[in-house]
Amino acid sequence: MLRTIVWAITAAVAGSSFAADVDRGARIFRACSSCHIVDDTRTTFGPSLKGVVGRRAAIMDDYVYSPALKKAGEDGLVWNEHELAEFLASPSRKIPGTKMRFWGLWSFEIDDLIAFLKANPL
């Protein structure tokens, strides 16, 4: 009985504590905004991330991707939440040879950033 109560409390707290926060994701995105935008589909220094969730990798026509990222896209990589989370944690580990010079995010930031990206569809 006590185990059940402890499990229920833990699940309730975890569920509410780790819900993705779009506003926090927007604040985290500020670090990305020197290279990427989400309010337009045009490329700036990096490819636009507007509508990136659900999009196949390396398909923006106006951006020159690294050969490694192009190959990943050709091989079927789609930026779903799982794939984005792995990439955002460590771009060079997810796609060795990527030209994105970014060290990665902490795991507690990734869900919020993805929630923000999802809030900016095409």
Side-chain angles (χ1 to χ4, degrees):
M1 175 76 170
L2 181 58
R3 237 187 241 171
T4 304
I5 293 171
V6 170
W7 180 85
I9 291 170
T10 303
V13 170
S16 63
S17 297
F18 299 112
D21 182 338
V22 174
D23 291 334
R24 187 165 180 272
R27 289 190 301 275
I28 294 166
F29 183 77
R30 289 181 194 154
C32 311
S33 66
S34 61
C35 297
H36 300 281
I37 60 174
V38 294
D39 60 349
D40 196 337
T41 57
R42 68 182 164 77
T43 289
T44 54
F45 186 76
S48 169
L49 298 181
K50 183 173 184 64
V52 71
V53 180
R55 182 170 77 201
R56 190 166 47 88
I59 64 164
M60 301 300 288
D61 290 335
D62 61 346
Y63 185 74
V64 180
Y65 293 94
S66 66
L69 197 54
K70 279 179 155 178
K71 175 135 177 40
E74 291 166 359
D75 289 347
L77 176 63
V78 173
W79 292 125
N80 60 37
E81 291 179 38
H82 173 76
E83 300 293 349
L84 275 170
E86 286 184 349
F87 187 74
L88 292 170
S90 178
S92 61
R93 184 176 43 207
K94 174 69 177 169
I95 303 177
T98 183
K99 67 181 183 179
M100 186 162 133
R101 299 294 172 237
F102 176 67
W103 58 92
L105 293 172
W106 295 102
S107 59
F108 61 86
E109 299 173 308
I110 292 173
D111 288 342
D112 295 333
L113 180 57
I114 291 173
F116 173 71
L117 293 173
K118 286 172 65 175
N120 290 279
L122 282 178

